[in-house]
């Protein structure tokens, strides 16, 4: 008897088998977005939410690179937010650091906007391996986080 390591779950209508990775993504995408927004509303005046939000996003981008063997720009854009939030902890919240953090946050927003802008070809490519539910959650996740990072850049600067 041979056991398959790839666990899958069948949808209620038996139309699609969800892999464990897809189920994890369906849970993590909304949870991460929710956590980012809660952080923004609770810590908007201090910006303390940006480091953990960027660190989580950076780690997720690294996992994407390892799993897909393709570059994920999030490593660079989230890395910039991490770098400048650490600079802020050392030098303080100077005008230059505020600019740098805001520009880095806008770079993260731009990265998420690529999915929104180029959704049709991305959707076509991903639909070969992902469920329609996953695609809808992914698009909403990217749109929501694009708006979040624009808001974070704005709140950080004003």
């Amino acid at each position: 008897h041979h056991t398959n390591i790839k666990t899958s779950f069948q949808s209620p209508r038996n139309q699609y088998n969800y892999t464990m990775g897809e189920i994890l993504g369906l849970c993590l995408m909304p949870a991460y977005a929710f956590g980012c927004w809660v952080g923004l509303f609770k810590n908007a005046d201090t910006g303390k939410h940006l480091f953990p939000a960027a660190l989580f996003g950076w780690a997720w981008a690294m996992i994407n690179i390892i799993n897909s063997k393709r570059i994920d720009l999030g490593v660079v854009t989230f890395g910039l937010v991490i770098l400048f939030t650490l600079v802020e902890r050392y030098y303080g919240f100077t005008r230059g650091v505020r600019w740098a953090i805001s520009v880095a946050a806008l770079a993260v927003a731009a990265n998420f906007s690529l999915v929104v802008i180029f959704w049709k070809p991305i959707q076509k490519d991903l639909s070969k391996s992902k469920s329609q539910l996953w695609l809808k959650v992914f698009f909403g996740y990217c749109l929501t986080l694009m708006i979040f990072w624009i808001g974070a850049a704005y709140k950080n600067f004003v």
Side-chain angles (χ1 to χ4, degrees):
H1 182 262
H2 177 48
T3 306
N4 186 354
I5 283 183
K6 244 188 181 175
T7 306
S8 67
F9 300 92
Q10 213 164 39
S11 70
R13 294 185 179 158
N14 296 327
Q15 295 172 343
Y16 185 81
N17 286 331
Y18 291 89
T19 64
M20 197 59 143
E22 193 166 359
I23 291 169
L24 189 60
L26 285 170
C27 296
L28 281 179
M29 286 187 280
Y32 174 55
F34 181 75
C36 286
W37 282 100
V38 168
L40 180 64
F41 285 112
K42 287 184 76 175
N43 300 306
D45 294 337
T46 65
K48 290 186 189 297
H49 62 290
L50 294 179
F51 179 78
L55 186 61
F56 187 88
W58 181 86
W60 196 334
M62 286 299 292
I63 291 167
N64 287 343
I65 290 172
I66 292 165
N67 289 338
S68 71
K69 309 284 189 270
R70 296 187 334 195
I71 188 69
D72 184 325
L73 291 176
V75 169
V76 175
T77 59
F78 284 120
L80 289 172
V81 174
I82 292 167
L83 172 67
F84 294 130
T85 55
L86 290 175
V87 167
E88 182 268 329
R89 289 177 185 193
Y90 185 76
Y91 289 104
F93 207 47
T94 66
R95 183 169 172 79
V97 170
R98 289 177 93 156
W99 268 102
I101 293 171
S102 290
V103 169
L106 288 174
V108 174
N111 190 26
F112 280 111
S113 79
L114 293 174
V115 172
V116 176
I117 293 166
F118 298 109
W119 178 243
K120 287 298 178 192
I122 291 171
Q123 180 184 29
K124 185 178 178 183
D125 183 52
L126 288 175
S127 67
K128 297 172 189 163
S129 61
K130 301 292 185 187
S131 69
Q132 288 303 306
L133 175 61
W134 190 93
L135 292 171
K136 288 175 184 173
V137 170
F138 180 62
F139 180 81
Y141 160 79
C142 290
L143 180 63
T144 301
L145 283 174
M146 177 189 77
I147 296 166
F148 163 79
W149 284 101
I150 291 169
Y154 174 76
K155 282 302 287 176
N156 179 68
F157 194 72
V158 293

